[in-house]
Amino acid sequence: MSAIQNSSDDKISDEKPQTVDVESRVVHGETQDVYDEKESGVDPIYQAKARILNDAFQEIGMGKYQWYLFIVAGFGWFSDNLWPIVTGLILSPVVNEFNFEGPFLKLGQNIGLLVGAAFWGVASDVWGRQICFNLTLFITGVFAIAAGGSPNAVALCSLAAVWSVGVGGNLPVDSAVFLEFIPASHQYLLTILSIWWAFGQLVGSLVAWPLIANYSCASAADCPKSSNEGWRYFLYAMGGLMMLMFVLRFFVFHLYESPKYLMGRGRDAEAVEVVHAVARYNGRECNLTVEMLKEAENAVKFENTVKSDGLRSIEEAELKMDTSARAAVMRKMRRFSGEHVQSLFATRKLAYSTSLLITVWALIGLAFPLYNGFVTYFLQTRGADFGDGSIYITYRNQVILSVIGVPGALLAGWMVELPYLGRKGTLAISTVITGVFLFASTTARTSNALLGWNCGYTFTSNVMYGVLYAVSPELFPTKDRGTGNAIVASANRVFGIMVRSTSTSDSENLVKLSQKAPIIALYANLATAVPIYVSGALFLVAGLICLLLPFEPRGKASM
């Protein structure tokens, strides 16, 4: 339940927009007036009150509370990137020890991620943001530590699925929490939050480097548990880190319940109290009162009594906003109804935009694991050609690549606010350049040259992902945003999980042990650079498609 409204860098405009048709409003990101609710599908009372809450946070400004929230919400981004690479980092030693088909580990993880995203999205509307915000990291940490003691492959895959249920809820919940507490003038920080995404990869690579390199057996032929403890130490360390982050979230930083959640459940007084608590924390004053929210509600009810939408009285208008837990669940579930899917294709421009977004997410969902999952093996084979393909060098290079991704997130946050570039231009340019770097990497004739091209790829791909995760929700009509996000995420996940290991000779054992070769790899010789050519081409196509997106959300504030 959110809408888009115009904002400048420092304040939200108070001017009432001129009347335009629905398609024009969505495409150009103009303010959606509450009197157009019959067409927009957004609860008019909710939207009217949300505007007031947005104004209140703009009045408070960006202060200590929001900056601390930037840190603890960033833990969600950290976890979201850390745990998918964890399964890749531990794959070879666990397959050597348990002698099982590696893809089952990734399958368990992906099932957990899908369940987590769906479950926590609904739970945050029923139980509130607070409990979900804290429980996701707790579940991840507890079951990751338990996975370190797995006696067999079944236990490990099962626990990976459960810890992934926690991981899957991070971004849906954390992004909502962050957006609901920051002023519109600082929404670009949602893009910069991806710096934590880069830190997740960096920390995982740094910790895995000494543990897995020094405490792993050499091959499956001789791999007792006593000589293969590195991956267990790694899971203990990463699970312990999640527990530390949970402690910081739960015991050190106090997350107030989201004012918009409270308001949406009819608890206006509590919502106002939270806004004033944030203002006091920041050392600021706020003029928000319960009466202001009540006046906005009454104004909408009065308008509805004179509109030809079947409402005949204030009492009937009150039914427009059911605040029960059951209604909260039903509102969430209705996002996946056929009506909401149809609305995403209701007009020519909306259908065009939605189709392009689905395509971009799908292409990147296929290209990213094709190359990124393949890069360790590719570095090893190229390194071996130059006599330096040891595990130590492989993980050293992986750490270097992880460091390079950090400034990419900062650059993304700056670029998305530039006139004539914005979100769409930044996304298109970074995606195309990512593909160019992948093509260029095949020209490397020394291991240092190869590492250099991969550094370029990592930098630009972090810019790309920073923008993609932040901009996609802005590109859907308000009432159908949940469905739109679900569709594009599903397209990305479906193409990303279509992986399997290939049957190869013993000389290609590294490939056999990986689940990193998507469908393309079934018909390609993984001893060549073919997967990289395919991945680079997919990035190029996705980048060009980004240029065709019909609207630019820069300068708009989300409700």
Side-chain angles (χ1 to χ4, degrees):
M1 282 192 177
S2 59
I4 299 176
Q5 64 184 94
N6 289 333
S7 68
S8 64
D9 289 339
D10 298 316
K11 67 178 182 178
I12 303 177
S13 173
D14 293 325
E15 296 180 4
K16 185 176 180 179
Q18 297 180 354
T19 300
V20 295
D21 62 89
V22 175
E23 176 179 333
S24 178
R25 285 178 182 275
V26 173
V27 172
H28 296 292
E30 296 179 1
T31 303
Q32 295 219 3
D33 190 79
V34 295
Y35 308 128
D36 293 330
E37 297 312 318
K38 184 177 179 181
E39 296 173 302
S40 69
V42 181
D43 188 311
I45 298 175
Y46 176 91
Q47 186 173 1
K49 291 182 177 181
R51 289 174 184 271
I52 294 176
L53 292 178
N54 274 350
D55 290 340
F57 276 111
Q58 192 66 37
E59 178 186 4
I60 295 172
M62 191 74 181
K64 288 190 303 180
Y65 186 85
Q66 286 89 349
W67 286 116
Y68 290 150
L69 182 59
F70 180 87
I71 295 174
V72 295
F75 295 164
W77 269 254
F78 183 99
S79 175
D80 184 75
N81 197 25
L82 168 65
W83 291 100
I85 72 166
V86 163
T87 53
L89 292 171
I90 70 173
L91 184 66
S92 290
V94 298
V95 170
N96 284 340
E97 180 175 337
F98 295 138
N99 191 26
F100 73 108
E101 292 292 332
F104 284 110
L105 180 60
K106 191 68 174 179
L107 177 62
Q109 180 187 57
N110 284 326
I111 291 174
L113 290 173
L114 287 171
V115 171
F119 173 78
W120 293 112
V122 175
S124 65
D125 275 355
V126 178
W127 299 335
R129 312 289 195 252
Q130 265 184 328
I131 186 171
C132 299
F133 187 73
N134 292 311
L135 278 180
T136 52
L137 289 181
F138 179 78
I139 291 173
T140 302
V142 167
F143 287 98
I145 292 174
S150 299
N152 52 54
V154 174
L156 176 61
C157 294
S158 300
L159 289 169
V162 181
W163 89 49
S164 296
V165 171
V167 176
N170 282 313
L171 290 188
V173 176
D174 296 4
S175 59
V177 168
F178 188 70
L179 279 175
E180 290 169 8
F181 277 99
I182 61 172
S185 58
H186 288 73
Q187 275 189 197
Y188 67 91
L189 290 174
L190 183 61
T191 299
I192 297 182
L193 265 175
S194 63
I195 192 173
W196 288 96
W197 204 70
F199 284 148
Q201 180 179 349
L202 173 60
V203 171
S205 300
L206 281 172
V207 176
W209 184 6
L211 293 180
I212 296 181
N214 296 322
Y215 299 97
S216 297
C217 56
S219 67
D222 182 22
C223 193
K225 176 182 176 181
S226 58
S227 65
N228 197 45
E229 295 283 1
W231 69 271
R232 299 178 186 274
Y233 298 152
F234 182 49
L235 287 181
Y236 294 148
M238 295 298 95
L241 181 58
M242 292 298 103
M243 294 303 295
L244 174 61
M245 290 180 172
F246 162 73
V247 169
L248 292 175
R249 275 190 176 186
F250 190 77
F251 294 103
V252 179
F253 176 82
H254 176 66
L255 176 71
Y256 296 110
E257 185 55 86
S258 164
K260 288 181 181 176
Y261 166 78
L262 293 171
M263 177 269 292
R265 295 297 301 274
R267 296 152 64 180
D268 290 355
E270 294 177 60
V272 172
E273 183 180 345
V274 168
V275 173
H276 282 280
V278 173
R280 288 193 298 271
Y281 196 96
N282 290 348
R284 300 291 299 274
E285 295 292 333
C286 179
N287 297 319
L288 179 67
T289 64
V290 176
E291 289 70 25
M292 294 169 66
L293 295 178
K294 190 64 178 177
E295 288 174 4
E297 179 179 348
N298 289 336
V300 173
K301 290 177 180 178
F302 177 77
E303 288 292 332
N304 281 333
T305 61
V306 297
K307 290 175 69 71
S308 57
D309 60 357
L311 297 178
R312 292 292 181 266
S313 67
I314 294 293
E315 289 71 22
E316 288 184 63
E318 289 175 347
L319 297 176
K320 291 286 284 184
M321 191 172 185
D322 188 342
T323 60
S324 66
R326 177 180 178 276
V329 176
M330 294 305 297
R331 283 195 293 269
K332 193 74 174 181
M333 297 306 295
R334 281 198 295 268
R335 291 182 177 181
F336 300 92
S337 68
E339 176 186 353
H340 285 273
V341 174
Q342 293 173 5
S343 296
L344 294 172
F345 300 88
T347 67
R348 181 174 299 178
K349 282 189 176 180
L350 286 178
Y352 182 58
S353 175
T354 301
S355 299
L356 292 182
L357 277 175
I358 293 172
T359 303
V360 168
W361 276 85
L363 291 177
I364 292 177
L366 180 59
F368 186 71
L370 177 61
Y371 181 86
N372 199 53
F374 182 70
V375 66
T376 301
Y377 168 71
F378 190 62
L379 287 172
Q380 284 181 320
T381 56
R382 288 299 180 95
D385 290 341
F386 306 122
D388 59 358
S390 66
I391 294 179
Y392 174 87
I393 293 297
T394 297
Y395 281 100
R396 183 209 66 180
N397 290 350
Q398 192 65 33
V399 168
I400 293 173
L401 294 175
S402 301
V403 171
I404 292 297
V406 174
L410 299 176
L411 179 64
W414 175 70
M415 292 179 66
V416 294
E417 292 295 300
L418 293 178
Y420 307 109
L421 188 62
R423 273 74 158 163
K424 184 171 69 172
T426 302
L427 181 59
I429 291 172
S430 59
T431 306
V432 168
I433 297 178
T434 297
V436 171
F437 277 128
L438 298 195
F439 281 124
S441 69
T442 63
T443 67
R445 293 298 177 264
T446 67
S447 58
N448 287 336
L450 178 64
L451 179 61
W453 291 123
N454 284 334
C455 286
Y457 150 77
T458 301
F459 181 84
T460 56
S461 66
N462 271 270
V463 175
M464 175 191 72
Y465 266 107
V467 181
L468 187 63
Y469 278 117
V471 74
S472 294
E474 298 178 287
L475 302 183
F476 292 115
T478 301
K479 70 185 181 70
D480 309 307
R481 185 162 295 147
T483 301
N485 287 339
I487 291 175
V488 296
S490 297
N492 181 266
R493 184 67 64 189
V494 166
F495 278 81
I497 66 175
M498 288 193 298
V499 293
R500 54 163 289 180
S501 56
T502 57
S503 298
T504 59
S505 64
D506 291 338
S507 64
E508 295 171 330
N509 194 44
L510 280 173
V511 184
K512 179 181 178 181
L513 294 179
S514 75
Q515 84 271 38
K516 303 168 184 176
I519 293 175
I520 303 298
L522 297 178
Y523 306 98
N525 181 359
L526 297 184
T528 72
V530 170
I532 296 178
Y533 281 125
V534 174
S535 181
L538 292 173
F539 276 113
L540 288 178
V541 173
L544 294 176
I545 291 175
C546 292
L547 290 175
L548 302 177
L549 290 171
F551 55 93
E552 167 60 55
R554 186 184 72 86
K556 314 300 188 302
S558 175
M559 274 206 272

